[in-house]
Amino acid sequence: MFAALRHRNYRLFWIGTLVSNSGDWMDQIALNWLVVSLTGSPFHLALLNLCRALPILAFTLVGGAVADRAERRRMLMATQGCAMLLAVLLACLAFAGNPPVWTVMLLAAARGTVVAFNLPARHSLVPELVPAGDLPNAVALNSMTVNMTKVAGPALAGIVIAILGLPACFALNALSFTVVLATLARMQLPGTGLRAVRQESMARSIREGLAFTAGDKRLLLLLAAALVPTFFGQPYMALLTLFAHDVYRIGPDGLGLLSACAGAGSAAGGALLAARPVWASSQRAMLAFMVLLGLFLLLFAVAQDLAAAVPLLFCAGAMLVACNASVMTLLQISVPGHMRGRVLSVMLLNRGLSQVGVAALAALAGLAGVQAAVACAGLAIAMLGGAFLAASPLGRRQQAAG
């Protein structure tokens, strides 16, 4: 289950991910709560997530092309340094007291731009840290770790907000970046320098990545399937703010509890795939996880009380991560190293679509209520996952592309 942690570089990567993502989740919970508390409007929550999404959609393909040219560890250090500066700026504005909403939106857009360059470099670096035989385990462990932070981050956010206030959450997130920068600096990787695509124009490099992806039906199927949980499923985490504020009326402490519960399920889903890597490399298992995700979200949305909602939220978190980790594993073992950044950047456009999904579902929540919005999303996931499962010749394990 923990085979990838035998490798020093991956251990450093894992530690940095654990600390930095805990800070990111704490920051995200605080930022969503800040916007809702300032405006009381689901539409402003939708706008916040749209500001995060548009730069990711605009620049992720560029980020993937850069990741295939640059030394990925140094690229990560640059993006994490920029993210730390933005976190410091947000903390300063929050400590100054009730920042104008437009400044929060502007910072969200800037952070989305950083994410667009950070994600392709981060995901394409993983295969350089472990042998090929440990790659499925490394991807599953990474997913488990990222989702363990969904427990630690929101739970810590609820405590910090209650005791120290919102600005302290932003300050602690800024501090967490020092850990990930230190771990990246201590990695000992071969001096690969710039990659062979260096002489190509950026536009040609992006076109090559798109052409490679479009020419492989297996990759297109994976990318199409990945759209479903990303657009319809991932947004439920942001909408937990509205469940806590409007449905259950349990305040920021209760929001931390709901988010931690979903995060605990996510960590369980990652642990499941780390223990059973054969499921991580099965397309049929990935689609089964998708169907179950839709069903659990639908049941969570229509649950009448908090006691019934909590276990359903846990199960939804587990299935979301199991589905996403399966997609990432299948892509990692199917794409050659020199194309990895660009192909993964196409998939990582989904992160921007996730924020568009948040904006769309938050707008629907403003019109029909948050429970109706999440119920519609769950139904869509279950139906589309079932259609993929019924129509596609799936279930074959993928072989590494080399």
Side-chain angles (χ1 to χ4, degrees), residues 230-276:
T230 300
F231 185 83
F232 294 103
Q234 190 71 37
Y236 85 92
M237 286 294 296
L239 295 187
L240 291 180
T241 304
L242 297 178
F243 275 93
H245 191 270
D246 298 336
V247 178
Y248 300 120
R249 302 186 184 279
I250 51 179
D253 293 346
L255 172 60
L257 173 65
L258 289 177
S259 300
C261 178
S266 299
L272 176 67
L273 291 193
R276 295 297 302 264

Side-chain angles (χ1 to χ4, degrees), residues 175-188:
L175 185 62
S176 73
F177 285 104
T178 61
V179 176
V180 70
L181 288 171
T183 56
L184 288 169
R186 293 185 61 190
M187 287 182 184
Q188 297 174 354

